Amino acid sequence: MRDDLGFVEEIRRDLEDVRWPEPREIRARARRRSRRSAVAATVVLMLAGVSAFVATGGGGESAPPPVAASASPTPSARGEIAVESLVQPADVSQTAQVQLSESDFAQPILVDSMLGHCGQSRGMTPTWPMSRWSRSQTLLRERPVGVDPTVGDLLLKQDLYRVAPETAAPLFADLDRLLAACAEWASAGPYTTAEQTGTARAVHNWTVVQRSFAGDEAAMVRHTQSPVRDQKTGEIIGDAPRPTSTAVVQVGDVVAVLTLGRDGTEPELSRLAEVAARRMCLAANPPC
């Protein structure tokens, strides 16, 4: 059991790092969060296809949340991550018309939710280490009137995490162990289409395709998934999923996780990871 007085003192020191926003900034954040919730709801509806359903294991039940790391965070010079430390709209090759951002604390450093499900199925806990502070943003392109609503709007999703030293040191070694355990992983679950129902199966693979290309340390992880097949007949259900890539970058005590929309490429993701590393220097303890 932790020392209650020590915990209270730790919270007091962390609160000294907080930059309390002005009332008008609070109202602005509330408006942005409302817009983000609306966008998220739209994206969920767009992605509620068979492939996504099977990939999560099906069954209508959400996967258990990641297990929190047991280590207590160590106070550092600064806490909350400033907006200026994020990739900016001007850094993206396409025009980013909407920027949604929010800050939080004590969040898991989530690299890939499906990779987390695999890790849990292999008995690896905690799957994701915990951060002290985090800031997330989504850059979107503006959709012209009359454009097909299935056209992707997402340009960049970025999460920044401030971590304690005991979390930062083994971060990439722990990621490598998780990737090794999940080099190939099969998921199965029930599915329903307009024509039929059944149990489907898909095979997932994760591999590191690039390392040490940004910041103090970096890795680009590619996730590929086989076509979703009916487990009984072997029939392919839905369209074949496209590979997705995620960049993980560390600068001091700050970690970034970046993904692009479906039109993004790995070279562009690598370029933006380098941009992110330079901007992360503003938030790192100590600054670069």
Side-chain angles (χ1 to χ4, degrees), residues 132-147:
R132 297 182 60 233
W133 293 88
S134 65
R135 183 175 288 278
S136 303
Q137 75 164 349
T138 304
L139 297 183
L140 306 170
R141 69 165 62 91
E142 184 176 6
R143 185 195 303 276
V145 176
V147 171

Side-chain angles (χ1 to χ4, degrees), residues 130-179:
M130 296 296 291
S131 65
R132 297 182 60 233
W133 293 88
S134 65
R135 183 175 288 278
S136 303
Q137 75 164 349
T138 304
L139 297 183
L140 306 170
R141 69 165 62 91
E142 184 176 6
R143 185 195 303 276
V145 176
V147 171
D148 184 347
T150 62
V151 173
D153 283 335
L154 176 66
L155 295 178
L156 172 70
K157 177 71 171 66
Q158 179 185 18
D159 298 309
L160 278 184
Y161 304 93
R162 186 181 304 286
V163 298
E166 59 266 29
T167 300
L171 183 69
F172 282 86
D174 289 344
L175 177 60
D176 284 340
R177 281 192 287 271
L178 178 59
L179 292 169

Side-chain angles (χ1 to χ4, degrees), residues 44 46-58 114 204 225 228 239 241:
V44 167
M46 289 166 54
L47 296 182
V50 172
S51 177
F53 182 77
V54 175
T56 57
M114 286 304 304
H204 303 264
Q225 179 187 314
V228 179
D239 298 329

Side-chain angles (χ1 to χ4, degrees), residues 24-77:
R24 63 181 181 180
E25 184 178 351
I26 294 176
R27 290 192 294 271
R29 288 186 181 183
R31 288 192 296 270
R32 289 196 297 269
R33 180 168 295 192
S34 297
R35 290 198 302 270
R36 180 171 186 170
S37 298
V39 171
T42 302
V43 172
V44 167
L45 290 174
M46 289 166 54
L47 296 182
V50 172
S51 177
F53 182 77
V54 175
T56 57
E61 296 181 0
S62 58
V67 181
S70 59
S72 300
T74 299
S76 55

Side-chain angles (χ1 to χ4, degrees), residues 54 191 199-202 226-232 234-237:
V54 175
Y191 73 90
T199 300
R201 182 178 184 273
S226 70
V228 179
R229 295 180 179 273
D230 185 284
Q231 195 160 287
K232 185 175 182 180
E235 177 187 356
I236 294 178
I237 309 299

